[in-house]
Amino acid sequence: MLCQLQKTYLEAEVLTASPVRLIEILFELGISTIESARECCRNGDILGRGQLVTKGVEILAELTNSLDFEAGGDLAKNYARLYDYCQRRLLEAHTRQSEPMLEEVQSLLCELRE
């Protein structure tokens, strides 16, 4: 029940959020998703890790899609490169079963969120 309540709250927040808040939500979701993938890595849950890595890659794709390359210029291009790097690192982390690589991406997202 609580999970459904949280989901309903998040849906309502997303529907009423400003564009800046939507980006913040994506960062928060990405960070928590990677934390969960790290937990799966520690527990040997390959399927769970794979699903969470896929979700992380999708979140990074949404962050990339949110970039305004005309208004953002070089800054937007640099963010796009960082998001691409993070996506590649997530996939590599899953392939190599590497929690440190997952931790690296999580740390980068925390820094970018600031």
Side-chain angles (χ1 to χ4, degrees), residues 13-45:
E13 184 178 12
V14 166
L15 291 173
T16 60
S18 69
V20 171
R21 180 63 187 135
L22 289 173
I23 300 302
E24 290 172 348
I25 291 169
L26 284 171
F27 273 108
E28 291 166 6
L29 188 57
I31 291 164
S32 66
T33 297
I34 295 169
E35 178 59 39
S36 296
R38 290 178 61 197
E39 182 67 27
C40 288
C41 196
R42 288 189 292 269
N43 295 331
D45 180 359

Side-chain angles (χ1 to χ4, degrees), residues 32-104:
S32 66
T33 297
I34 295 169
E35 178 59 39
S36 296
R38 290 178 61 197
E39 182 67 27
C40 288
C41 196
R42 288 189 292 269
N43 295 331
D45 180 359
I46 297 168
L47 179 61
R49 186 183 69 232
Q51 291 171 336
L52 290 162
V53 164
T54 298
K55 184 176 178 180
V57 168
E58 291 170 349
I59 291 166
L60 286 159
E62 285 300 318
L63 286 167
T64 302
N65 290 337
S66 73
L67 294 171
D68 183 343
F69 291 98
E70 284 185 34
D74 287 339
L75 184 62
K77 290 176 188 174
N78 288 336
Y79 269 88
R81 286 187 200 106
L82 281 167
Y83 296 154
D84 178 64
Y85 173 79
C86 287
Q87 287 177 312
R88 287 184 284 116
R89 281 304 265 187
L90 284 177
L91 296 172
E92 186 178 3
H94 180 55
T95 301
R96 294 185 181 196
Q97 302 179 32
S98 172
E99 185 189 354
M101 287 181 184
L102 293 171
E103 183 179 17
E104 174 193 4

